[in-house]
Amino acid sequence: MSVARRWLWLALILIGAGYFGPWVAHKDAGLIQSADDLAEFVKFMPVVRSGELAIIRELFFIPIWITAIGLAWQAGRLKSARLRWAVLTLSGLLVFTPMPKYPELLTTYRSPEFAATFWITIMAALVAVGGLIWGRRLPDRVEASLWIVLGIAAASIAPLHFVKLQPEIAKLYHASVNVGWGVYAVVAGGVGTAGIGVWMLIATIKQRPRST
């Protein structure tokens, strides 16, 4: 189980790095878009503003929320207090990444534009804190199942939303859109997280005493 949790660090790093990495690759630096950029960019796309293409911008934030939650859960199992606080600080910074800057931040909770981002961020932060405090008390099977859910969510939701958006970006760019390594990193990290969860689940099943 400890070996599996070590591999989780790599999977979470891949998801987090992929979020900030390029999702839209382009030779011109100004046209490169990360998941964080896309969440802002879609607000100004005519096809999205008109409602012709249903895009939920908050879905692009899912990889970073999952990274923050996963890091907090992992931090709860660290023995070194310094390392634990370092990871928790990073988790806290990442979970609030989607929040708008000052002064919009002051009215985010009631803003039609940012309210959903605000409340989902708060929920993600609470889940992270809950995992930090009570994660070690969870049955191994429950923990493994949660990692599977997080991994599948990271590997599918935002990347599939990007696939839906990709043709419209190509129209705006007047050129085909190359998928950046950020998408692949998020998918790889998510698949890895889910796979590790399956590995942990199988290990718990094997450890169960057989009835005679």
Side-chain angles (χ1 to χ4, degrees):
M1 202 62 89
S2 60
V3 175
R5 291 195 181 96
R6 291 173 189 170
W7 281 105
L8 277 171
W9 289 109
L10 176 59
L12 292 171
I13 290 171
L14 276 175
I15 297 172
Y19 172 81
F20 290 108
W23 284 45
V24 176
H26 200 278
K27 62 181 180 179
D28 295 330
L31 297 179
I32 296 174
Q33 304 275 355
S34 66
D36 195 62
D37 296 325
L38 287 171
E40 185 71 15
F41 181 72
V42 295
K43 295 191 303 182
F44 305 101
M45 294 180 65
V47 69
V48 176
R49 292 173 65 89
S50 67
E52 183 180 344
L53 181 65
I55 292 294
I56 303 173
R57 62 183 296 268
E58 289 80 13
L59 296 184
F60 288 111
F61 296 136
I62 285 179
I64 203 62
W65 283 325
I66 288 176
T67 301
I69 290 170
L71 288 176
W73 290 5
Q74 287 282 84
R77 295 181 178 274
L78 292 174
K79 295 180 179 179
S80 169
R82 288 185 179 181
L83 186 56
R84 187 186 310 119
W85 280 109
V87 174
L88 286 176
T89 300
L90 177 60
S91 173
L93 291 173
L94 293 179
V95 78
F96 290 107
T97 297
M99 298 286 275
K101 304 298 185 290
Y102 182 86
E104 290 85 358
L105 181 61
L106 299 177
T107 57
T108 301
Y109 69 97
R110 57 183 172 84
S111 165
E113 183 178 354
F114 297 115
T117 300
F118 175 84
W119 292 112
I120 297 173
T121 297
I122 296 300
M123 289 175 60
L126 291 175
V127 171
V129 172
L132 169 68
I133 298 173
W134 294 292
R136 294 175 68 92
R137 303 177 188 177
L138 290 176
D140 290 340
R141 181 174 292 190
V142 174
E143 181 195 0
S145 300
L146 290 173
W147 285 119
I148 293 171
V149 171
L150 288 180
I152 292 173
S156 61
I157 298 176
L160 288 177
H161 217 46
F162 171 70
V163 170
K164 181 180 178 181
L165 185 65
Q166 191 177 356
E168 298 302 326
I169 297 177
K171 291 178 183 178
L172 290 176
Y173 282 18
H174 301 290
S176 59
V177 172
N178 296 319
V179 179
W181 63 262
V183 179
Y184 298 113
V186 167
V187 172
V191 170
T193 301
I196 294 167
V198 171
W199 177 9
M200 296 168 70
L201 186 60
I202 293 173
T204 60
I205 294 172
K206 288 183 177 180
Q207 289 173 359
R208 290 182 61 187
R210 296 181 181 179
S211 58
T212 56

